[in-house]
Amino acid sequence: MPMLDFIRSDLTQLQAYTPHPGGEPTGPLDILDTNESPVDLPPELKAKLAWLYQETIATNRYPDGSHHRLKGAIATYVNESATTNTIAPDWISVGNGSDELIRSVLIATCLGGQGSVYVAEPTFSMYGIIAETLGIPVVRGQRLADFSVDLEQAQSQVVAPVRVVFMVHPNSPTANALTAAEIHWLRSLPPEILVVIDEAYFEFSQTTLAAELPQHPNWVILRTFSKAFRLAALRVGYAIAHPSLTHILEKVRLPYNLPAFTQAGAELALQHRGLLLNAIATLQEQRQKMITALSTLPSFVVFPSEANFVYLRLREGGDPELAAIAAALKTEGTLIRHTGGGLRITVGTAVENQRAIARLTAYLHRQD
Ligand SMILES: *Cc1c(COP(=O)(O)O)cnc(C)c1O
């Protein structure tokens, strides 16, 4: 390809994010590599959404750029989920997926050589990827054997020029929630550090730090409709923070970042949250079954999970073998994710999970 002389030289080094490195899934595959809900919206909700589209959305008009109704509904849900009543609609900012909010946070804090970000690996890769596309340096810390952050190292790493700390609660891909010691450390960080707590998997862990936000103007919680709410296709996430911070996030985003259909879908999902979140208990049972079954495989260590996925590592052996396992399962029809030195398997339907376990077990037997 020809060199484009007008492009920033640092971008030529970067790889585009590819959720499915071998290409988009086609055919009858079990998609257990992206942590989505294994089930679609119930047909009656889809019909309702289609009706809303037909009857209430004028496609020739711009959507509500203030997300007024949606923010109100999100604030109600957040208060309910954190048993608090302090979260008013102006504590919410809505994004085209939480990915957009991650980018807004970075634009608002570190762009233009003003700071770096800290991540403890392995963790969600988008923080580092988006930071690098904006020319923002990434400081990478380690985790201990239980996947909690090496806090001693973090103390020394989270100093100027670091301005933003990204933590996932519970973490992806390792599935562990923040420990008391980690939370204590986050509380102790000085006001010049922004703490981002990504609660993408909140509905599966049922543990949130939202009630603490009023005491911490330097904290922001991110959540998404892409996982428990089954709306990955519509792209909607939200930030919860003190209004002085959401006000800034609103400034740096694009004016019509959320299509009208997406707003309608998210509002509908919240109206029917009882129905949608009913599926969580089944998923947690399936998660336990999967952990129990995978734990019988002698070559793997299977970690506890607070999320809708299970993480495992080989007792001996490394990345080439894990890559071979993921590739073999893919040819048999199950997509799983090889990441962070382990395998991450989304909890799917009972049938998908059984197939994943059977295929993995059969693969290991063939290697013996
Ligand atoms: C899936 C996920 C998200 C969701 O991103 P969207 O852009 O809202 O789909 C955010 N953070 C983490 C850690 C995730 O795993």
Side-chain angles (χ1 to χ4, degrees):
M1 277 199 274
M3 276 287 288
L4 302 176
D5 294 333
F6 43 81
I7 298 296
R8 276 164 39 206
S9 57
D10 55 318
L11 289 183
T12 61
Q13 314 300 322
L14 298 184
Q15 298 288 324
Y17 177 74
T18 43
H20 303 284
E24 280 303 299
T26 54
L29 284 174
D30 296 339
I31 304 171
L32 303 185
D33 63 342
T34 36
N35 296 346
E36 297 143 325
S37 161
V39 285
D40 200 342
L41 288 179
E44 64 271 26
L45 284 198
K46 260 195 156 168
K48 184 95 188 286
L49 187 55
W51 181 88
L52 286 170
Y53 181 44
Q54 192 142 25
E55 300 298 324
T56 72
I57 294 176
T59 61
N60 57 319
R61 298 295 173 195
Y62 284 107
D64 173 7
S66 75
H67 317 135
H68 173 74
R69 272 205 319 269
L70 179 55
K71 280 184 185 175
I74 290 172
T76 303
Y77 172 61
V78 171
N79 283 322
E80 196 178 277
S81 73
T83 48
T84 172
N85 56 10
T86 46
I87 304 303
D90 62 347
W91 287 64
I92 307 295
S93 183
V94 189
N96 193 284
S98 32
D99 291 346
E100 186 195 10
L101 294 159
I102 294 165
R103 189 166 63 173
S104 292
V105 162
L106 292 169
I107 290 171
T109 53
C110 299
L111 195 66
Q114 304 220 24
S116 315
V117 304
Y118 166 88
V119 296
E121 295 198 312
T123 194
F124 188 47
S125 62
M126 286 312 291
Y127 311 127
I129 292 171
I130 299 175
E132 283 170 350
T133 64
L134 296 171
I136 296 168
V138 181
V139 175
R140 297 169 198 277
Q142 300 170 0
R143 290 172 184 269
L144 306 175
D146 66 354
F147 296 127
S148 66
V149 173
D150 180 342
L151 290 175
E152 206 172 312
Q153 184 198 41
Q155 305 271 16
S156 64
Q157 287 181 315
V158 178
V159 291
V162 168
R163 274 196 175 177
V164 183
V165 168
F166 283 101
M167 298 295 289
V168 197
H169 180 46
N171 190 42
S172 174
T174 56
N176 52 310
L178 289 172
T179 62
E182 288 174 306
I183 295 169
H184 180 76
W185 173 64
L186 296 176
R187 288 186 189 122
S188 76
L189 287 172
E192 61 271 19
I193 300 285
L194 174 64
V195 176
V196 180
I197 301 157
D198 188 336
E199 294 187 354
Y201 301 98
F202 156 70
E203 284 82 6
F204 307 103
S205 71
Q206 286 299 318
T207 141
T208 175
L209 290 169
E212 284 196 45
L213 285 172
Q215 292 114 269
H216 300 288
N218 64 325
W219 283 16
V220 55
I221 290 177
L222 302 182
R223 296 219 193 130
T224 179
F225 283 80
S226 299
K227 309 283 157 66
F229 279 104
R230 317 184 197 178
L231 292 185
L234 299 194
R235 310 302 302 128
V236 46
Y238 56 99
I240 323 162
H242 194 275
S244 54
L245 178 55
T246 55
H247 178 68
I248 304 289
L249 296 178
E250 296 284 295
K251 276 193 206 186
V252 299
R253 68 170 170 84
L254 297 177
Y256 299 110
N257 60 334
L258 223 61
F261 186 75
T262 294
Q263 296 188 45
E267 286 167 30
L268 186 72
L270 284 173
Q271 280 161 19
H272 296 273
R273 59 187 175 280
L275 174 66
L276 295 177
L277 300 181
N278 251 339
I280 302 282
T282 312
L283 208 125
Q284 287 165 335
E285 278 166 35
Q286 284 299 320
R287 174 177 76 195
Q288 193 45 50
K289 282 195 174 151
M290 198 184 229
I291 290 175
T292 305
L294 293 172
S295 299
T296 64
L297 301 173
S299 39
F300 280 105
V301 187
V302 185
F303 298 94
S305 172
E306 300 277 329
N308 66 337
F309 53 86
V310 172
Y311 194 61
L312 52 160
R313 279 188 174 169
L314 285 169
R315 283 182 203 281
E316 291 164 46
D319 266 1
E321 197 169 345
L322 292 172
I325 294 171
L329 261 64
K330 183 177 171 182
T331 61
E332 294 180 34
T334 296
L335 299 179
I336 62 172
R337 190 149 170 99
H338 167 212
T339 181
L343 296 174
R344 191 190 69 191
I345 309 179
T346 306
V347 180
T349 62
V351 171
E352 289 172 330
N353 301 340
Q354 277 155 16
R355 277 197 290 255
I357 293 159
R359 285 166 179 167
L360 183 57
T361 308
Y363 174 89
L364 295 170
H365 280 308
R366 287 201 298 275
Q367 302 309 301
D368 284 343

